[in-house]
Amino acid sequence: MERLIFLDIDGVLNTRRSMQQMRGPNSMMRGYTGLSLDLEAVQWLNYIVDNSNADIVITSSWKYKGLETMRNMWTEYAMHGYVKDITPSIQMRRDLFCMRGMEILKWLSENYPEGKEQPRYVILDDGDDFLPEQAEMLVRTNAEVGITKEDAAKAINILTK
């Protein structure tokens, strides 16, 4: 069975902690994207990928930089896993709920039409704009520190149960 990580970046890999470090004496941490990723959070994402063999689908607004840029960032930061795709953008009013959840649903329906085995997936995000039926697949991170050991364990459990 295929496994996927629907990944937000801000608040998951690009954290408040990494932004503060970028402004401080470690400002050389600035990467390809112009922003610093939190190396501890990256380590936990690598751990999830290594223990689940999941591919990555970018849900973050960073997707507007394009799939090639996301793949280049993966290489620059030596992150594990394969960036398979980015979710489509659904243009709707911002005050409507579940925008990111709708984008994930649309991506799944386009890539796994009825009759095709659905992948097991987890959503890593610091937000909550998801559909009710996606709640059990959501691992909500703390934007201050991003992915933690506990988040990683929960994500692996969702992907491998």
Side-chain angles (χ1 to χ4, degrees), residues 32 58 61-73 83 85-86:
Y32 176 81
I58 304 294
S61 61
W62 287 39
K63 68 186 175 185
Y64 298 113
K65 295 176 181 285
L67 183 57
E68 183 178 343
T69 299
M70 294 295 94
R71 288 178 174 160
N72 288 339
M73 181 179 75
V83 179
D85 206 355
I86 56 178

Side-chain angles (χ1 to χ4, degrees), residues 3-4 9 15 20 29 35 45 49 54-55 74 77 80-81 83 86 98 104 106 109 118-119 132 134 138 147 153 157:
R3 296 177 179 138
L4 300 171
I9 295 178
T15 66
Q20 289 173 344
M29 292 175 62
L35 293 173
L45 178 62
V49 169
D55 289 331
W74 237 249
Y77 281 92
H80 302 183
V83 179
I86 56 178
C98 301
I104 290 171
K106 182 174 181 177
S109 69
Q118 295 292 303
Q134 295 168 331
L138 175 63
I147 304 170
N157 184 52

